[in-house]
Amino acid sequence: MGVGKPILYCGDCGKVLKEEDFDRLKAGYLQNSPYCVACCPNVVLSTPPAPKQASPFPSSTRVRVLPASTPGRSLRAGASNTLPATFAAAIGGALVVVMIALAFSSAKPVPPPPERAPVARVAEPERKLEPETPPPPPRPRPVPVRPAEPEPPPRPVEAAAMLDRYLEDIRAIRDKDTSFKRADEIRSMLRRAAEIAGPRKAEVVALLDDYEKALAGPPKETPAPPTPAKPLGQVASFTLVDADTEKPVPGFDPIVSEATLDLGKLKLKKIDFAIHTSPKEVGSVETVIDKNPARGENSWPYSFTSNSVKDGFTGWTPTAGRHTLKCRIWSEGDRKGQAGPWVTFNFTVVDPR
């Protein structure tokens, strides 16, 4: 600091502020108080306030002492110059005294000023003291606001590790949630993972597709169209058979409905009827003679009575009169319980014996 200049201190940290700090914009004023820029960046960088103007008159009278005459000068001038100077000074002093005396003698006496009448004083009403208003609280020192620094983007290695950990968490939740109660949460996590996966997005999308398939369950098998049912066979014709010889009777192969059988002329004791079907072999054949219970033939050749390839035709001895024989196909192959239409023919037996 220069000589004769006040010493300034920072209003916050107390650091000494030099004149060069204000010149270099390292200090300034805030509300007429000096601060350094480090403590208060918002200070006004300007010159200090102008000091109050001092009085033109000095506070105390200083007597200027004139230097005494140099004795060497008198010695050089010689003794002849000393007397005339002294004489001249005496004459001048006498003249000054005479002039002052004449001035006082010619001046008139100044009369005293007239006395003024006393002024009546009016009693002023007492002033009520108003309560002092408390000073406002000091304003808080402005705090500089620094802009937030942007976060640096994650490194590729860190992003890959973060994605792996995220997928591990999803797999752990999925393994425990066997009943798919947290399906919505897992879907949301997988979609979020796909957004941050970057070049691995296809991998995460594949995981999401697999999870959706697991939620849907195994694919439902489409039932095969039903195999069209084969038409049941049908009774094609009948043949009259001599049960003793197991040969067809001439003229009755096939036998027609309303035929008359003269057992005497035909020399027949036991008769039977061979049943021809189309196709040749069917599941079984059901027969009914007159009002007797129905019976079935389960193997070829089919006949009216119980027969087999080994035993041949068993035969039946009919009574004279009109008879009715009915036949139908029953349970062909895998169509068990189903039957075709009845085929009926009538015949009359004549027994002259």
Side-chain angles (χ1 to χ4, degrees):
M1 303 295 292
V3 179
K5 294 184 180 182
I7 301 174
L8 301 179
Y9 300 92
C10 177
D12 192 355
C13 63
K15 177 182 177 181
V16 176
L17 303 178
K18 300 179 182 180
E19 184 177 0
E20 58 186 10
D21 294 334
F22 292 91
D23 296 339
R24 296 179 181 179
L25 304 181
K26 294 184 178 181
Y29 286 86
L30 180 64
Q31 297 180 358
N32 295 331
S33 297
Y35 289 95
C36 62
V37 177
C39 295
C40 189
N42 297 331
V43 297
V44 179
L45 300 175
S46 63
T47 58
K52 295 182 180 180
Q53 186 176 2
S55 173
F57 300 99
S59 59
S60 61
T61 304
R62 295 182 181 180
V63 179
R64 184 178 182 183
V65 179
L66 297 175
S69 60
T70 307
R73 185 179 297 176
S74 300
L75 293 175
R76 285 191 299 270
S80 60
N81 294 333
T82 304
L83 292 177
T86 306
F87 181 75
I91 293 174
L95 290 174
V96 171
V97 172
V98 172
M99 290 177 67
I100 293 173
L102 290 175
F104 277 103
S105 62
S106 61
K108 296 181 179 180
V110 178
E115 296 182 359
R116 295 181 179 180
V119 180
R121 295 183 178 181
V122 180
E124 296 180 358
E126 296 182 358
R127 296 180 180 180
K128 295 182 180 181
L129 298 178
E130 298 180 357
E132 296 182 359
T133 305
R139 295 181 179 180
R141 184 167 57 89
V143 179
V145 179
R146 296 179 180 180
E149 297 180 358
E151 296 183 359
R155 298 178 181 179
V157 177
E158 295 178 356
M162 181 176 65
L163 178 62
D164 291 337
R165 290 194 298 269
Y166 195 53
L167 293 178
E168 287 296 331
D169 294 340
I170 296 174
R171 291 189 185 96
I173 297 174
R174 179 177 175 180
D175 293 340
K176 294 180 181 180
D177 186 32
T178 56
S179 58
F180 300 101
K181 293 182 179 179
R182 302 175 67 178
D184 293 339
E185 179 183 356
I186 294 175
R187 281 198 194 99
S188 178
M189 294 177 70
L190 285 172
R191 294 191 185 102
R192 174 57 181 164
E195 293 176 358
I196 64 175
R200 298 174 59 186
K201 184 176 181 180
E203 175 187 350
V204 180
V205 172
L207 292 176
L208 180 58
D209 293 341
D210 292 341
Y211 186 69
E212 293 292 348
K213 292 178 182 178
L215 283 176
K220 297 181 180 179
E221 296 181 358
T222 305
T227 304
K230 297 179 180 180
L232 285 173
Q234 60 181 353
V235 177
S237 61
F238 301 91
T239 297
L240 179 63
V241 177
D242 183 353
D244 294 328
T245 62
E246 296 187 355
K247 293 181 179 180
V249 177
F252 296 94
D253 183 19
I255 187 174
V256 297
S257 182
E258 302 299 338
T260 300
L261 303 179
D262 188 346
L263 299 182
K265 291 181 180 181
L266 296 174
K267 299 179 182 180
L268 298 176
K269 295 180 180 180
K270 293 182 179 181
I271 64 173
D272 206 334
F273 295 98
I275 303 170
H276 304 287
T277 61
S278 178
K280 182 179 179 180
E281 294 186 15
V282 294
S284 61
V285 176
E286 185 179 15
T287 61
V288 175
I289 185 69
D290 298 333
K291 295 182 179 180
N292 295 316
R295 56 174 305 277
E297 283 286 305
N298 298 321
S299 61
W300 183 89
Y302 308 106
S303 67
F304 160 65
T305 60
S306 177
N307 72 300
S308 63
V309 176
K310 180 180 179 182
D311 298 334
F313 292 93
T314 305
W316 168 63
T317 303
T319 59
R322 184 181 174 82
H323 300 277
T324 300
L325 177 62
K326 296 191 300 183
C327 298
R328 67 176 180 179
I329 306 299
W330 176 264
S331 300
E332 178 186 3
D334 57 351
R335 301 182 63 182
K336 296 181 179 179
Q338 298 184 18
W342 290 101
V343 176
T344 305
F345 81 93
N346 303 315
F347 62 95
T348 303
V349 175
V350 176
D351 188 1
R353 296 171 297 175

